[in-house]
Amino acid sequence: KSDGFGGERTRLLATLGACTSGEQVCETLELLRTSGMGGDVQSYQQGLARLAALAGGSEWALLLVDEMAALGVPPDAACFSSALAAAIGGGEPAAVDELLGNADAACARYSPALLLLDGLLAEADLGAPDRAMLKKCAQAFSWRLADAQQRAQQQTQRSPQHSPAQRAYSSSPNSTSPRSAQLSPIAPSRLRSPIGVELSGDAAAVDAAGSTESPFGY
């Protein structure tokens, strides 16, 4: 076959579009990479494109961006576009959680989306217009995260006791999330990006006067 692998690479790439979870996407990409049929920008393109269409895709996209950096695979424009779509998609349910008063869950959703944007901003090949757009998105997300952190802290102070079911929901809005065990319901004051850049995430940056200073330094 034309793909050089008897059609198996083509078949596996096609299955990415049918994956129903981020875990399936990452498992398929790992199979492509370890078998010598993948690990290139095209396979990551398709994986990120699928994650952008899946609920909870931002956390898995963060892992893929991290993996690409570790393997020395520079993302192209299509990868950037899909990763950005995944990050924005991760912010949408967080906004819904905020509206419903689930501040803890909102924090747990905003954090990986913001870290994903930070990882994209660290790419050296990113053009100036794209960088400016990503900075605006990251700034908006950081403000929303800071506000959600304050609300979560206020809710904790008012209701220090929660049932086991409430604690489980607030700490893990997506049970299949690859980083659900690592992300605190109230995001920590220091976060680390997938490329190792330490970010300031102190919720106190947004003070009682309504300061709009980004807790992440944007």
Side-chain angles (χ1 to χ4, degrees):
K1 297 289 184 178
S2 60
D3 65 7
F5 297 97
E8 184 63 12
R9 171 182 161 88
T10 300
R11 186 189 69 79
L12 286 173
L13 288 176
T15 64
L16 286 171
C19 290
T20 58
S21 70
E23 184 175 10
Q24 289 182 359
V25 170
C26 290
E27 286 177 348
T28 302
L29 288 173
E30 182 179 8
L31 178 59
L32 280 162
R33 180 175 57 81
T34 56
S35 65
M37 294 185 288
D40 59 340
V41 68
Q42 182 187 7
S43 58
Y44 283 106
Q45 273 179 10
Q46 297 193 31
L48 287 167
R50 183 55 185 160
L51 290 174
L54 293 174
S58 62
E59 294 187 45
W60 295 97
L62 171 58
L63 294 182
L64 290 191
V65 170
D66 191 9
E67 184 173 285
M68 291 178 75
L71 295 174
V73 181
D76 61 7
C79 290
F80 278 124
S81 178
S82 293
L84 176 60
I88 294 174
E92 290 175 352
V96 173
D97 282 324
E98 276 196 277
L99 290 173
L100 295 176
N102 301 323
D104 284 347
C107 289
R109 294 185 192 274
Y110 277 131
S111 296
L114 184 56
L115 288 174
L116 175 54
L117 290 172
D118 174 66
L120 295 177
L121 280 167
E123 292 294 334
D125 296 334
L126 189 63
D130 290 335
R131 187 175 298 278
M133 178 184 65
L134 285 172
K135 279 188 175 181
K136 288 182 179 180
C137 290
Q139 185 179 60
F141 273 43
S142 67
W143 290 342
R144 296 310 319 145
L145 175 59
D147 187 63
Q149 285 176 323
Q150 281 194 328
R151 291 177 184 275
Q153 290 172 345
Q154 291 168 358
Q155 290 174 2
T156 301
Q157 291 170 358
R158 288 195 300 265
S159 304
Q161 300 298 323
H162 298 284
S163 70
Q166 287 174 316
R167 287 196 296 270
Y169 172 76
S170 63
S171 63
S172 181
N174 181 358
S175 61
T176 63
S177 163
R179 294 197 174 190
S180 60
Q182 302 176 34
L183 290 173
S184 167
I186 300 176
S189 61
R190 302 297 292 181
L191 293 175
R192 184 167 294 276
S193 77
I195 58 167
V197 177
E198 198 170 60
L199 305 171
S200 172
D202 189 352
V206 179
D207 57 24
S211 170
T212 58
E213 177 186 354
S214 165
F216 287 79
Y218 295 115

